[in-house]
Amino acid sequence: MANPLSMFEVKDQVALITGASGAFGMVAARILAGAGCKLVLVAGNQAALTDIAEVCRGMGAEVTAINTRPTDEDICADLVAQAIAAYGKLDILVVASGMNKVALINDMTPETFTSVMDANVTQSWLLARAAAGQMKAQGHGGKIVLVSSARGLLGHPAGYTAYCASKAATDGMVKALGCELGATGITVNAIAPTVFRSPLTAWMFEDTEKAAAVRAGFLARVPKGRLGEPEDLAGPLLFLVSKASDFYTGHILYADGGYTAG
């Protein structure tokens, strides 16, 4: 306790991040690169993966970039194996891969619903399964962080049945795995953001009539009175992947400016 900041030290920890070319994945990669982690970055978009890998290398991080998506058991096991081959261990898993397909229920096909559930739930489960097996074998615990959403707790009228269901399932998985793995020293938690600045949401921050109207409706529900910024995710993520959160597992941490509190 004489040096409380040391509880957040993750230098030389090995972190596997899937969805590293997406909005949250890129934020996670930069945060953990800046904190001194060795990174295994995974994404299906080769060009964007190359870009974020170079950004992280420019920050001084060791980076292994793998151009794939965690679509089945063998790929997920191989991602862990490649992390071990590159750096000899795996300390942190951040699952930022996933998708959203928006349609009202009578316009959404069963195949679309299943694809969202597979990307957000089954693939998260497969990655957690592969990582947990390695972390248990290492015998010194580990940190698993899934990405949920405020939509795991709250509905949405604009065709979010697949997404809301998938994030509610993610929350349930986090709680179940937190219980199951508690005695192993592996913690399992989730970050659940609401809208934050990213390439996908940049239009909401613009000075246009449409953006202003959408912001006004959304911000009426946000006690902090603003949309999220990438740096708002830095503290929660660093907490969940560091020793500071060793007694926290099975939690969903809402990075939402109070949106889910009202």
Side-chain angles (χ1 to χ4, degrees), residues 15 20 59 72 79 90 101 110 124 135 145 152 160 169 178 190 251-252:
M59 298 172 71
D72 62 39
L79 292 175
L90 178 64
K101 294 184 178 180
S124 293
M135 291 171 178
V145 180
Y160 275 58
H251 285 281
I252 293 86

Side-chain angles (χ1 to χ4, degrees), residues 65 138 145 152 204:
Q138 291 169 179
V145 180
M204 291 183 66

Side-chain angles (χ1 to χ4, degrees), residues 91-113:
D91 303 297
I92 298 164
L93 169 68
V94 179
V95 180
S97 47
M99 70 166 64
N100 184 18
K101 294 184 178 180
V102 178
L104 298 178
I105 189 167
N106 293 119
D107 298 324
M108 181 178 285
T109 66
E111 292 76 17
T112 296
F113 181 87

Side-chain angles (χ1 to χ4, degrees), residues 58-204:
M59 298 172 71
E62 295 182 49
V63 180
T64 297
I66 304 172
N67 179 213
T68 192
R69 290 185 171 89
T71 52
D72 62 39
E73 180 181 4
D74 290 341
I75 291 174
C76 292
D78 184 62
L79 292 175
V80 172
Q82 290 196 58
I84 302 308
Y87 303 118
K89 62 175 183 171
L90 178 64
D91 303 297
I92 298 164
L93 169 68
V94 179
V95 180
S97 47
M99 70 166 64
N100 184 18
K101 294 184 178 180
V102 178
L104 298 178
I105 189 167
N106 293 119
D107 298 324
M108 181 178 285
T109 66
E111 292 76 17
T112 296
F113 181 87
T114 300
S115 70
V116 174
M117 295 297 289
D118 179 66
N120 294 350
V121 183
T122 304
Q123 291 176 28
S124 293
W125 184 86
L126 288 170
L127 285 162
R129 181 174 182 264
Q134 176 63 35
M135 291 171 178
K136 284 191 285 187
Q138 291 169 179
H140 53 75
K143 303 288 183 175
I144 296 175
V145 180
L146 306 186
V147 177
S148 184
S149 167
R151 295 300 159 203
L153 181 66
L154 302 173
H156 195 288
Y160 275 58
T161 53
Y163 188 74
C164 289
S166 71
K167 294 306 181 180
T170 297
D171 294 351
M173 188 185 341
V174 164
K175 293 173 184 178
L177 287 176
C179 294
E180 179 179 330
L181 299 175
T184 68
I186 300 168
T187 64
V188 185
N189 296 289
I191 292 180
T194 185
V195 177
F196 70 96
R197 190 188 299 269
S198 74
L200 291 176
T201 64
W203 67 272
M204 291 183 66

Side-chain angles (χ1 to χ4, degrees), residues 219-232:
L219 294 179
R221 289 280 309 279
V222 180
K224 290 295 290 183
R226 64 172 176 84
L227 301 176
E229 297 290 349
E231 54 264 31
D232 293 320

